[in-house]
Amino acid sequence: MTKINIYLVRHGQTYYNIYNKLQGWSNSPLTDQGYQDAEKAGQRLKDVHFDAAFCSDLTRAVETAQTILDENKADSVKEPTTAPYFREEFYGSYEGTYMDQAWYNAGAPHGLKTFKDIVTKYNIDTAKDWLKDADPFHDAENSTEYWKRMNEGLAIIRDAGLPDGANVLLVSHGNTCLSLIERFGEGKYDITERPANGSLSKLVMDGDRVSVEFYNHGRLQEIT
C-alpha cells in the first residue's frame, strides 16, 4: 500500500472569521492578515517537496494553497487541484449567520447552548445533524451528507497514483479540519476549539487507513 503524508492547512483569515460568522460554502475574501497567514504557512513549508496539492474550490482556500505553493523552494507542483469535495460543511440557511446564534439554535432543543457544549458531550457529527434539524429549509449538510462527499475527496488523494511516501498539501476549512482530526485522531486531540487560520496538522494515509501525526490549534509558526 502507498503511504501518503497529508499536510493539512486551514485557509488564511477572512472577514467572516473576524465577524464570527459561519462561512460554509459562502465566499468571504481573505483579509490582509489572511494573506500573511498563507505566506507564513508557505515559509514554514517551503522546503517540503509536494508531489500533489489539493484544496477546496472556495476562493479563500484556493488563494491560500496557491500562496503556499508560490513560496515553495522544493520543486513542488505549481498549482493545486481544486475540488468541491474538500469544501467546508454547508450550513444551509445559516450561511453568514453569527456563529454563536447558529449553534445555540442547533443545541438549545437538546439543552446545550454552544458548539463546544455539543462537541464536548457528543461529537462534531452530532453538531452537523442538529444544525440541519434547526435549519428551517433543512439544506444544511448533516453528517451523512458531509462524509459522503469528503470520502470522495479522500479517495481522490488515495487514488492519485502518487509514489510511496509522497507529500500532499491539502488546504481546507476550520470545521473540516476539526472533523478530520476527530474522525482519525482516535480521541487524542481536543476538538472543542477551532484551529487558527493558517495552522498546520499532518495526516498519514496508508491505503484506506488514515491517522493523525499531529494537530496544532495555534498559528503555523508556533510549530517547531
Side-chain angles (χ1 to χ4, degrees), residues 27-44:
N27 265 319
S28 173
L30 294 178
T31 63
D32 289 343
Q33 177 62 56
Y35 287 109
Q36 292 177 29
D37 293 335
E39 289 170 1
K40 288 175 182 176
Q43 283 298 306
R44 174 65 176 86

Side-chain angles (χ1 to χ4, degrees), residues 87-123:
R87 286 184 181 185
E88 181 63 289
E89 174 184 350
F90 181 51
Y91 297 116
S93 66
Y94 285 109
E95 294 271 315
T97 299
Y98 183 57
M99 194 177 295
D100 292 351
Q101 183 63 56
W103 291 118
Y104 177 83
N105 289 359
H110 308 275
L112 301 172
K113 296 181 179 181
T114 68
F115 176 81
K116 186 173 183 176
D117 290 343
I118 299 169
V119 173
T120 298
K121 187 170 183 178
Y122 296 98
N123 49 47

